[in-house]
């Protein structure tokens, strides 16, 4: 494990949300939002409204900026966001999740909780100087984000689709080279 489990969960959720909003969006219905909520083990308020869905979707550019911010810029963004949302970190333990941090109330809007949790996770990224774990997908035509939590830092693509497409292209290039040689 590179970071504490709640930090890793928050980063995974933020990256998932940013990538879901890469066109064509895969977060277009309240059902998609419910699936996202369940997939990342969220607890607390979920309105299941199109308003909530719109607010969560609108977070994507802000999350992208936070996740890709470098060591000189991330602290300012994080500090500003935590102050703006009146974040007060506290340890919480609830069903299925051992002690972890919450910084806003469980009945705060979901988009507020997501952005504050992402900022809280970035605190760990900054302190550990692990910004290189977060990058844009290595596929030439993809702007998806990659969160590499692997021990040997081997992850380069945002999805299985991007990994496979590039593996096939590399194979074709090798075959063409062999045929020409
Ligand atoms: Zn919790
Ligand atoms: Zn990709």
């Amino acid at each position: 494990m590179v970071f504490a489990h709640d930090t890793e969960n928050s980063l995974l959720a933020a990256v998932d949300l940013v990538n879901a909003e890469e066109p064509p969006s895969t977060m277009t219905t309240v059902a998609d939002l419910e699936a996202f909520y369940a997939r990342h083990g969220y607890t607390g308020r979920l309105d299941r409204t199109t308003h909530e869905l719109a607010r969560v979707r609108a977070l994507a550019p802000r999350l992208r900026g936070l996740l890709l911010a470098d060591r000189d810029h991330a602290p300012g963004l994080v500090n500003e966001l935590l102050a703006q949302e009146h974040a007060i970190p506290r340890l919480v333990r609830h069903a299925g999740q051992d002690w972890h941090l919450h910084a806003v109330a469980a009945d705060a809007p979901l988009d507020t909780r997501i952005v504050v949790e992402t900022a809280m996770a970035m605190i760990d990224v900054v302190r550990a100087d692990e910004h290189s774990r977060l990058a844009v997908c290595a596929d030439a035509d993809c702007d998806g984000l990659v969160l590499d939590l692997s021990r040997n830092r081997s992850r380069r693509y945002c999805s299985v689709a991007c990994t496979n497409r590039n593996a096939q292209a590399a194979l074709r290039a090798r075959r063409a080279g062999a045929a020409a040689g």
Side-chain angles (χ1 to χ4, degrees), residues 3 11-12 14-15 63 66-69 118 121-122 125 130-137 145-149 153:
F3 303 108
L11 293 174
L12 284 166
V15 165
L63 295 181
L66 258 177
L67 294 166
L68 292 180
T118 307
M122 287 304 292
V125 174
E130 289 282 1
H131 294 267
S132 63
R133 299 277 179 182
L134 288 153
V136 176
C137 181
L145 297 187
V146 184
L147 171 62
D148 187 354
L149 296 174
R153 298 172 184 264

Side-chain angles (χ1 to χ4, degrees), residues 43 92 94 97 100 102:
T43 55
V92 178
H94 51 73
Q97 293 177 46
H100 58 285
H102 279 198

